[in-house]
Amino acid sequence: MGQASDTGAASMLMRHLGNFMDVTERESEAIAAALAGPVLAAGARTDLMTEGEAPRAVLLIVSGWACRYKMLEDGRRQIVAILLPGDLCDLNNGVLAQMDHSIGTLTPVRYVEISSEVLQRLAADHPKIGQGLWWQLLVNVAIQREWTVNVGRRSAVERIGCLFCELLLRLQAVGLAGEDGYPFPLTQTELAEATGLTSVHVNRTLQTMRNSGLIRLADRTLSIPDLTALQDIALFSPDYLHLNEKERRSGKGVTRLGT
Amino acid sequence: MGQASDTGAASMLMRHLGNFMDVTERESEAIAAALAGPVLAAGARTDLMTEGEAPRAVLLIVSGWACRYKMLEDGRRQIVAILLPGDLCDLNNGVLAQMDHSIGTLTPVRYVEISSEVLQRLAADHPKIGQGLWWQLLVNVAIQREWTVNVGRRSAVERIGCLFCELLLRLQAVGLAGEDGYPFPLTQTELAEATGLTSVHVNRTLQTMRNSGLIRLADRTLSIPDLTALQDIALFSPDYLHLNEKERRSGKGVTRLGT
DNA sequence: CGAACATTTGAAGCGCGTCAAAGCCGGTGG
DNA sequence: CCACCGGCTTTGACGCGCTTCAAATGTTCG
């Protein structure tokens, strides 16, 4: 809950992995060592990686929002993922020769680049961290599937509502959202590009959502007065985020002992 | 090109990995050993795994078509991925406690279940195979991203056209498609569920595509008389399938030596 | 103060969804 | 061998959600 103060690269990653595992002293030192490189900075709306290039390294977002996007030849643009602090991009293992999409910033972003060798060694030396990285990757795939459902089967209100819910939970997971809201830096055009709508229609949809009291969105700040109501309207179910794996695993262990 | 005759579990996986790497005698024996388990069978339209369950094992599709799908509470269904022979599902590593989607067959399917321990050992003992499995996973994620673009930004003709092109290349990659066509077992309703459309609209769209000579589709058989034309109409670009990584890597080596 | 960009509004139209019914085909049983 | 049934495809009529185009109104920041 609430804002945490330490926003360094290592602490951001650990905060994220903390949703999956308990990080020991030894592991946190190893993570800090692996992320010892310089923190880089990029302005808003710049590419960190471009489609067609060879992937340089793994990126860890430290602060700010970024996205994966693809463009069609005729200029249509689709944002296919939103990257938040603590997210690792392109756990690539040096396997794919070229990017099939671009990674661009939405806000100013601070990030670090990690070579896949360093990450592989980290995972090899600390199996639990390796599992944590694996967890992050699998959750990202699950999110991608959910986005496919989102644009494929949901109405405009539902799409936007689901996105707002997802971002709330993901930001809370790294301590960057309050109980019922968070800073929301996207323009309506970008929101449209992420939901497969047009900016005009996003505008009108937001108005109806505001008028019905589902959300408040002004001054780049979103608040959700009644999360349950929004979840119900949007048919949002948080299972795909797998945010409770830690509890579920330990809970399972307990019931197993009980039987 | 064309149909290959050996359609066993191991040979199917090797055929798929063959797009990424050259498989040595030793590696092919190791794969065969890992896939020694019984080949299971399921009828059309049955679940191999159901949302909410704990994932049992990794599935390798040996023959037939399956899909990943998610349902909304009100019954809307979205197919988020199509699984073809040679595809591994849920390279899970035992990390996630429950399925966030279901896997169901579209046709009768033969498949094998592999424990993640066996796969992990296979990858550990044979690093190149490990990279191959990694490649499969990354390509699947890339496909998922492309599907998000598909339903988010493309028209009905483009969506269906892109899907047809993707399936042609993927089937050719495992020797199950001819030069310009393949058996197409999906009903129009399923095609609609995969493209985010309704079956009525799919029907009408298929008719216009047939009438303009872009495709022939009858008797569960699809043929594409002019692939380039279809690609152009649908704005299809095959990069995201990463089918030429092998050539690209070796090609790169050569140019590197040249500089 | 003005340029660039984001939000908002209006009007018109099209693509796709919805509802409903009719054909079609293969399979099954009498 | 035909009658019937269920599932898939096709067709029609209609309507709505979303897009398109265009312009007005903030808003931010040199």
Side-chain angles (χ1 to χ4, degrees), chain A residues 5-75:
Chain A
S5 53
D6 183 1
T7 55
S11 104
M12 216 61 233
L13 179 58
M14 283 171 355
R15 237 193 271 174
H16 197 176
L17 294 183
N19 290 281
F20 172 74
M21 59 189 265
D22 293 312
V23 182
T24 67
E25 188 74 18
R26 241 188 97 249
E27 286 161 346
S28 88
E29 280 164 15
I31 290 176
L35 303 190
V39 175
L40 308 173
R45 268 146 254 228
T46 53
D47 274 6
L48 300 182
M49 289 191 175
T50 306
E51 184 169 347
E53 283 180 3
R56 280 189 308 284
V58 179
L59 305 183
L60 170 68
I61 307 291
V62 178
S63 71
W65 292 25
C67 69
R68 296 179 198 275
Y69 69 89
K70 298 188 81 163
M71 308 255 333
L72 300 186
E73 297 159 28
D74 61 4

Side-chain angles (χ1 to χ4, degrees), chain A residues 70 76-78 92-93 97-98 100 134 142 144-146 148 151 153 158 192 196-197 235 242 245, chain B residues 70 76-78 92-93 97-98 100-101 134 142 144-146 148 151 153 158 192 196-197 235 242 245:
Chain A
K70 298 188 81 163
R76 281 175 283 179
R77 183 194 198 218
Q78 176 72 35
N92 205 319
N93 222 352
Q98 64 174 5
D100 53 51
W134 197 248
Q144 197 66 60
R145 279 190 294 262
E146 185 65 22
T148 306
V151 290
R153 282 288 111 124
E158 291 167 345
L197 300 165
L235 299 184
H242 297 275
E245 295 294 326
Chain B
K70 298 189 81 163
R76 280 174 284 179
R77 183 194 197 217
Q78 176 72 35
N92 206 319
N93 222 353
Q98 62 174 8
D100 53 51
H101 64 282
W134 198 248
Q144 196 68 61
R145 279 190 295 262
E146 186 64 23
T148 306
V151 289
R153 282 285 111 116
E158 291 166 345
L197 301 165
L235 298 184
H242 297 276
E245 295 294 326

Side-chain angles (χ1 to χ4, degrees), chain B residues 89-125:
Chain B
C89 325
D90 296 280
L91 226 41
N92 206 319
N93 222 353
V95 170
L96 298 187
Q98 62 174 8
M99 296 287 296
D100 53 51
H101 64 282
S102 302
I103 298 184
T105 61
L106 295 165
T107 69
V109 160
R110 292 188 307 130
Y111 65 101
V112 297
E113 296 195 351
I114 315 165
S115 76
S116 33
E117 294 78 44
V118 168
L119 263 190
Q120 272 174 271
R121 172 145 319 160
L122 181 65
D125 294 348

Side-chain angles (χ1 to χ4, degrees), chain A residues 105-120:
Chain A
T105 62
L106 296 164
T107 69
V109 160
R110 291 188 307 130
Y111 66 102
V112 297
E113 296 195 351
I114 316 164
S115 75
S116 35
E117 293 77 42
V118 168
L119 263 190
Q120 270 175 275

